[in-house]
Each structure stands twice: as C-alpha cells, then as structure tokens.
C-alpha cells in the first residue's frame, strides 16, 4: 500500500513540523486516523473547528451551494454575501465588513485601512502577540523565530508589554495609526488581557486619534464563552479581525469596520476569493448552528469544567492553568513538546503555545466525558518520568 505520510513528506514545503499521524475523518470533537484509532481533538483545526467536525448543516449548505454557484467576486452583488454581511454586522455591532480568506488577510486589511483612514503609518502591537505570517501581520507578531528569517519587515511597528497600560500610553503618539491587541493572547501562551488594559487601550486610541484593532481570529465565534471575547469587557474596537471558525472550517476571514474608520476610497484593496458564495453559504450555516447549539454558553461551561479539572492534577510540573472559555493553557515547568507527543500516544491531540504551555483548543461541542479523557491523559503523562517521555537527560 502507498505510504502517504512519506509521499507528503517528500513533496511538502518543509515549513511544518508534522506529527506522525494520518487523519482521515472527524465527527464532533473526535478524529480518526487511517488505522481506525480514535483521538479527542484539542487542536480543533487550530481554532477553525469550533463547531465540531462533520456538522451536517454546514455540509448540506456547502453541497447545495457548490451546485448553484461557487465563484462570484465582490465586484458583483450576491444575495448570500449580503445576508452574511448583515449577520456579521448584527453580531458584532459594527456597520461594515471586508471579506477575505484567512486571519492574516483580515489583519493585513486592518493595517491598510487604518493607514488610509488616519493618514498615519505607525502601528503599536503587544509583546507575545500573534497576528499572522504575511509581511504586515508578521511585523505585528512578536515571536523572533517567526520574524527573523524575513527581516527587514514593514517599518513603523513597535511592541509594548501586554497588560501594561503605562507602556502603551508612552508608545501611542500622534503618528500612531492603530493599536492591535488580542483579548486573550493565544499563541503567545494563553494570557487573558485585563479589562483595565483593554478598555484603557480603547480610551487611549480615542484620545490620541488612533484606531483600535482587536484581533479575534482565535478568540472569536464562541471560543472564550461569548460570541466574541470583546463582549466580556464591553470592548468596542474600530476594526475587528475574525477568521478560523467563521465558516465552519471552510477558509474565510473578515474585517469588521467601525464608524471611526470613515469611508474607504474605492479600489484600494481587494481579493479574488473574498466573499465567495461557497464560503458565505458555509458561514451562514455555521453561524446559525453556533446559535442553535449555544456554542458560547457551552464553551463557558465546559471551559470552566476543564480548567477546574486540570487544576486538580497533583503534579509539581504544573506552574499554572489559565484560560477563558475553551481557550485553555497549562503552563509547565518543562518543555511542552514531549508531553504533546505522549498525549497523542494516549489518544489526545493538543497544541503548544510557546515553549512550555500545553494549549487545549477543542471543538466547542466537546462533551464532559471527552474532557475527562483529556484530563486523565494529561494526568497520566505528567506522572510518567520526564526522561522517558522527553528522551533527554534530566
Ligand atoms: C490571533 C491570531 N491572529 C491571526 C492569525 C492568523 O490566522 P491565519 O492562520 O488564518 O492566517 C492567527 C492564527 O493562529 C491568530 O491566532
């Protein structure tokens, strides 16, 4: 039989560190590999699978729309797109939307629109922040390992410590086009923002004529226990970046645009696939499923349960367990990677966030029984000797 792992290794770019597993099918919060082995999925499509795998309503909407119309660029009107724009604006309270295909594109558009709108060029971002991998979004991303191979990046970006309002106050000037922040830093280690910092940033932007960009690419669509994490604090961004789970796992991103941005000149930006009917159909179906299943409510309840159960694990290796909703991090006193591979051996797929944080990002439909399996596996791998797991001397 053909070894498809080897075939993929032979042809892929090499930029991904792949795990040795071939995933073939998913349902809800479960995944299966080509040998029929079942996994509890705490990778959750890296945040794109909030709705769970194999949602029938999304599958039906996609199939029906694929037969009707797939391509229709935004220079033509489309009923589904109109309905989706209306729904996204209703959900976020922001009046306009630019549709694209990924999180990094939403961030990129936010920077371009902020520059055009304010006629300023500087962007202030946060240390440990992650905003994507295209050149503009990467310029706002903090991690050196992502940035350094691509220097020089876009000029005019600076980083301040997250949750430090005084540092932000010093960094925002009359040249600042925008401040970009996550409500919870996901990739950067699962660090929730304090309400004082986030609301202080909003007030500061208003005072100094800068725009507030909130990046909810990872925290949006129920993940943190509210439809959008901004709603925990009454935060009102001028530009709101969303993507990942917006269309039930189908590639799509969106930038919601507030009143302070003003009217954008025509032709300054665009995307061939942005707002295509296939993604719009998937998104409309996904959004109504999220409401029907009360995914934000489930994330709030299940997230509190997961955090409480992880905190019960009596291991000296655990430094902290934190999170909001089902965006949960367990900080270790040791590197996370060996534990991720040990978890996989026990049927749990999870992520890291930085070097030493285990990150759990399951579909929001995950059951308590499945969360119990995750907690048991975490407890078991933390109890095993480090040397055996890590293959490195203590
Ligand atoms: C907060 C945040 N912003 C932006 C991105 C980039 O999104 P994408 O991978 O869809 O380009 C991510 C991806 O993980 C993210 O977590």
């Amino acid at each position: 039989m053909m070894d498809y792992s080897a075939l993929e290794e032979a042809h892929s770019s090499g930029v991904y560190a792949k795990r040795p597993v071939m995933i073939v099918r998913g349902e809800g919060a479960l995944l299966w590999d080509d040998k029929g082995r079942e996994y509890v999925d705490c990778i959750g499509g890296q945040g794109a699978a909030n709705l769970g795998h194999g949602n029938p309503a999304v599958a039906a909407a996609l199939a029906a729309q694929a037969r009707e119309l797939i391509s229709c660029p935004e220079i033509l009107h489309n009923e589904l797109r109109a309905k989706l724009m209306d729904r996204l604006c209703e959900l976020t309270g922001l009046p306009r939307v630019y549709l694209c295909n990924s999180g990094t594109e939403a961030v990129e558009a936010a920077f371009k629109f902020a520059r055009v709108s304010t006629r300023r060029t500087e962007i202030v971002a946060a240390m440990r922040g992650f905003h994507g991998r295209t050149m503009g979004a990467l310029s706002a991303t903090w991690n050196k390992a992502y940035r350094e191979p691509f220097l020089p990046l876009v000029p005019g970006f600076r980083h301040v410590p997250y949750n430090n309002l005084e540092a932000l106050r010093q960094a925002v000037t009359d040249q600042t086009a925008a401040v970009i922040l996550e409500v919870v830093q996901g990739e950067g280690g699962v660090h929730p923002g304090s309400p004082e910092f986030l609301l202080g940033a909003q007030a500061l932007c208003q005072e100094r004529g800068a725009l507030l960009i909130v990046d909810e690419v990872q925290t949006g669509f129920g993940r943190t226990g509210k439809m959008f994490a901004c709603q925990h604090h009454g935060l009102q961004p001028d530009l709101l970046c969303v993507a990942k789970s917006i269309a039930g796992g189908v590639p799509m991103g969106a930038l919601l645009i507030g009143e302070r941005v003003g009217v954008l000149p025509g032709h300054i930006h665009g995307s061939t696939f942005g707002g295509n009917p296939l993604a719009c159909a998937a998104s409309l179906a996904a959004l109504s499923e999220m409401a029907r299943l009360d995914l934000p409510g489930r994330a709030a309840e299940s997230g509190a349960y997961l955090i409480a159960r992880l905190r019960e694990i009596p291991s000296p290796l655990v430094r902290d367990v934190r999170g909001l909703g089902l965006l949960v991090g367990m900080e270790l006193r040791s590197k996370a990677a060996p534990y991720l591979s040990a978890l996989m051996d026990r049927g749990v797929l999870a992520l890291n966030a930085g070097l030493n944080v285990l990150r759990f990002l399951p579909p929001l439909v995950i059951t308590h029984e499945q969360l119990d399996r995750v907690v048991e596996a975490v407890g078991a791998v933390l109890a095993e000797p480090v040397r055996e797991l890590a293959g490195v001397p203590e």
Side-chain angles (χ1 to χ4, degrees):
M1 212 180 83
M2 172 67 91
D3 179 349
Y4 289 107
S5 298
L7 187 66
E8 193 177 334
E9 281 305 332
H11 294 297
S12 81
S13 63
V15 302
Y16 296 99
K18 288 186 205 291
R19 303 181 191 197
V21 60
M22 174 72 68
I23 297 298
V24 293
R25 194 168 71 81
E27 193 181 323
L30 298 176
L31 291 171
W32 286 270
D33 72 11
D34 56 346
K35 297 175 187 71
R37 183 148 189 236
E38 183 180 289
Y39 297 85
V40 181
D41 177 20
C42 291
I43 290 177
Q46 290 181 321
N50 287 10
L51 195 50
H53 301 285
N55 179 280
V58 172
L62 275 169
Q65 189 56 39
R67 281 190 293 268
E68 192 76 19
L69 181 70
I70 293 178
S71 300
C72 178
E74 264 211 56
I75 54 171
L76 303 168
H77 285 281
N78 180 262
E79 180 183 323
L80 276 180
R81 190 191 300 126
K83 285 182 180 160
L84 177 62
M85 287 175 157
D86 187 52
R87 185 83 184 107
L88 288 172
C89 291
E90 181 190 321
L91 284 171
T92 58
L94 294 169
R96 284 178 296 134
V97 57
Y98 168 78
L99 294 171
C100 52
N101 313 288
S102 65
T104 201
E105 276 182 64
V107 170
E108 211 64 47
F111 294 152
K112 290 180 79 176
F113 294 178
R115 275 195 179 191
V116 166
S117 160
T118 60
R119 299 201 177 97
R120 301 173 176 184
T121 54
E122 291 182 4
I123 307 284
V124 179
M127 291 174 182
R128 290 194 311 230
F130 183 87
H131 301 290
R133 312 263 199 165
T134 52
M135 295 302 266
L138 186 60
S139 305
T141 291
W142 168 250
N143 189 335
K144 277 201 181 77
Y146 301 152
R147 295 164 59 85
E148 280 186 346
F150 304 103
L151 297 175
L153 295 174
V154 179
F157 282 75
R158 69 169 80 173
H159 293 84
V160 299
Y162 192 63
N163 278 340
N164 184 332
L165 189 55
E166 192 41 47
L168 191 65
R169 213 169 259 134
Q170 281 168 29
V172 176
T173 69
D174 61 3
Q175 286 310 303
T176 306
V179 172
I180 181 163
L181 296 171
E182 294 160 90
V183 182
V184 181
Q185 291 189 316
E187 289 269 332
V190 189
H191 296 282
S194 71
E196 299 73 35
F197 176 65
L198 296 166
L199 293 170
Q202 176 178 313
L204 188 66
C205 285
Q206 283 168 6
E207 187 187 300
R208 307 225 171 135
L211 297 172
L212 176 66
I213 303 170
V214 172
D215 181 345
E216 288 231 38
V217 169
Q218 187 157 153
T219 52
F221 302 104
R223 171 60 57 192
T224 67
K226 301 267 186 203
M227 193 59 174
F228 297 100
C230 281
Q231 293 162 351
H232 286 284
H233 310 299
L235 191 63
Q236 293 178 317
D238 301 303
L239 291 157
L240 176 67
C241 307
V242 294
K244 292 208 191 269
S245 280
I246 184 174
V250 171
M252 186 179 230
L255 176 66
L256 280 300
I257 305 166
E259 302 284 4
R260 288 182 72 231
V261 179
V263 177
L264 295 160
H267 310 297
I268 60 153
H269 197 52
S271 158
T272 299
F273 290 126
N276 71 80
L278 197 66
C280 290
S283 182
L284 280 167
L287 294 175
S288 63
E289 283 292 276
M290 285 176 201
R292 186 181 69 81
L293 298 167
D294 183 26
L295 287 198
R298 284 180 74 158
E301 195 276 330
S302 301
Y305 178 75
L306 177 61
I307 289 176
R309 291 240 33 218
L310 288 173
R311 283 188 179 145
E312 285 166 8
I313 294 175
S315 169
L317 278 169
V318 180
R319 182 174 285 149
D320 190 22
V321 178
R322 55 180 178 259
L324 197 59
L326 272 173
L327 172 46
V328 176
M330 175 182 253
E331 186 173 331
L332 303 179
R333 294 194 165 83
S334 163
K335 286 191 177 159
Y339 296 100
L340 289 176
S341 91
L343 280 173
M344 196 172 89
D345 292 345
R346 289 179 178 269
V348 172
L349 295 169
L351 287 163
N352 67 309
L355 270 186
N356 62 345
V357 178
L358 296 174
R359 182 170 36 139
F360 303 93
L361 216 58
L364 309 182
V365 293
I366 195 165
T367 63
H368 277 214
E369 183 270 326
Q370 290 160 347
L371 288 172
D372 289 342
R373 279 161 67 182
V374 173
V375 173
E376 273 153 36
V378 173
V381 302
L382 292 179
E384 288 171 21
V386 180
R387 200 169 13 190
E388 191 187 312
L389 288 172
V392 290
E394 278 170 280

